[in-house]
Amino acid sequence: MAKQSRGLIAYHVGVTALTLGSVLNVGLLFLKQGNYAVEMAIANGLLAIFAMDYLVRLIITKNRKIFLIQSAFDLLGIIPLHPVFAFFRLARLVRLIRFHHLFWRLGISGKWTKAYHRFIYQTGFIYLFSISVAIIVLSAFLFSLTEKQSLADSLWWAITTATTVGYGDETPHTAFGKIIASFLMVGGIGFIGLLTSTITDFIADRASQSATAQEMQQQTDITALLTKIDTLTGKVDQLQNQLDRLEKSTPKK
């Protein structure tokens, strides 16, 4: 058991190092620092490693449905369309932090971690986000094949189309490309609208809960203050009664 625990910790440390290394490598690619060919080779190598890791975990897991839900960002992190998808691998670090209770060990676990879990899973954000990204990625891939565009340009086109920005720098010219664009406009915009609505509803609900909690606290404080006033009034009345009895018992001169 101890060896298994040490092996698991070593595995998680390795995953953490590879994740941070992949994100750093993508940052260097965007900043155009270093040798581009070497950095792309590193990015592709890390992509292969994370893809194999994902497949192995998918095979050995006991509940694949739960695994697919909890590892949705891991799947996005191995999409080979663009190196920027490596940033989705950071979600793995969040789960490792929760797995080892690092926030609790550091004494910083609290309401915000519960709010994060509630926002990601209980509101359905993870499902809508995964479906939205899947639609965009699939549309970009098909657009790249039909329009003979690079994957990066196709992904840019899919994002601007799904978000209704539509700069017009990339447009479909073939019949299949226009069909793909039509499906993306209908499906992508619908799911992105639901995604936006989920975020706004969560923020509004949190604000409402905060206001309600503040009102309840104020009501509690007022009730406590009134109780103290009643107690003080009762004591004053008792003191007054004692004074009255004392005056009556005192003989007049």
Side-chain angles (χ1 to χ4, degrees):
M1 184 66 68
K3 291 183 178 179
Q4 184 179 4
S5 178
R6 287 196 296 267
L8 182 62
I9 292 175
Y11 166 70
H12 287 167
V13 170
V15 169
T16 301
L18 290 175
T19 300
L20 296 177
S22 65
V23 172
L24 177 61
N25 186 65
V26 171
L28 294 176
L29 281 171
F30 277 109
L31 296 175
K32 298 181 179 180
Q33 300 292 325
N35 191 313
Y36 179 81
V38 174
E39 292 168 353
M40 280 302 301
I42 294 174
N44 293 331
L46 290 172
L47 174 64
I49 292 174
F50 279 102
M52 291 179 60
D53 173 73
Y54 181 86
L55 291 175
V56 170
R57 289 187 293 125
L58 177 62
I59 292 172
I60 65 176
T61 187
K62 296 180 180 179
N63 192 327
R64 289 188 173 87
K65 180 179 179 181
I66 298 299
F67 175 83
L68 291 173
I69 293 174
Q70 294 181 345
S71 304
F73 286 103
D74 295 353
L75 181 60
L76 296 176
I78 58 176
I79 293 176
L81 280 181
H82 197 277
V84 73
F85 283 92
F87 284 103
F88 286 112
R89 297 169 191 167
L90 292 173
R92 182 82 176 275
L93 299 186
V94 176
R95 295 206 313 278
L96 292 180
I97 290 172
R98 292 182 56 207
F99 179 83
H100 292 285
H101 306 290
L102 293 183
F103 287 136
W104 176 79
R105 295 176 188 276
L106 296 175
I108 58 177
S109 178
K111 294 182 179 180
W112 74 272
T113 55
K114 296 179 181 178
Y116 164 80
H117 186 273
R118 179 171 174 268
F119 172 68
I120 292 295
Y121 296 106
Q122 295 183 10
T123 62
F125 174 84
I126 185 65
Y127 311 108
L128 293 174
F129 182 80
S130 300
I131 293 173
S132 300
V133 173
I135 292 174
I136 292 175
V137 169
L138 180 61
S139 300
F141 179 71
L142 295 176
F143 184 85
S144 175
L145 294 178
T146 57
E147 298 294 327
K148 309 300 181 184
Q149 297 287 339
S150 67
L151 291 175
D153 291 339
S154 299
L155 183 61
W156 170 251
W157 165 82
I159 293 174
T160 56
T161 301
T163 55
T164 70
V165 176
Y167 287 111
D169 51 347
E170 299 289 342
T171 56
H173 300 286
T174 64
F176 285 111
K178 292 177 181 179
I179 292 174
I180 295 169
S182 299
F183 279 108
L184 177 60
M185 291 174 191
V186 175
I189 293 174
F191 277 102
I192 288 178
L194 290 174
L195 189 65
T196 305
S197 176
T198 299
I199 296 173
T200 54
D201 288 346
F202 177 79
I203 295 175
D205 182 60
R206 291 285 296 178
S208 177
Q209 289 182 359
S210 178
T212 302
Q214 186 176 4
E215 291 178 359
M216 292 179 63
Q217 183 62 40
Q218 291 178 351
Q219 186 65 36
T220 302
D221 294 340
I222 292 174
T223 303
L225 180 60
L226 292 175
T227 301
K228 291 180 179 180
I229 292 175
D230 291 339
T231 303
L232 181 60
T233 301
K235 291 182 178 180
V236 170
D237 291 339
Q238 291 178 1
L239 182 59
Q240 184 64 46
N241 292 333
Q242 292 177 359
L243 289 174
D244 291 341
R245 287 197 298 271
L246 184 58
E247 289 180 356
K248 292 178 179 180
S249 63
T250 303
K252 296 182 180 180
K253 294 182 180 181

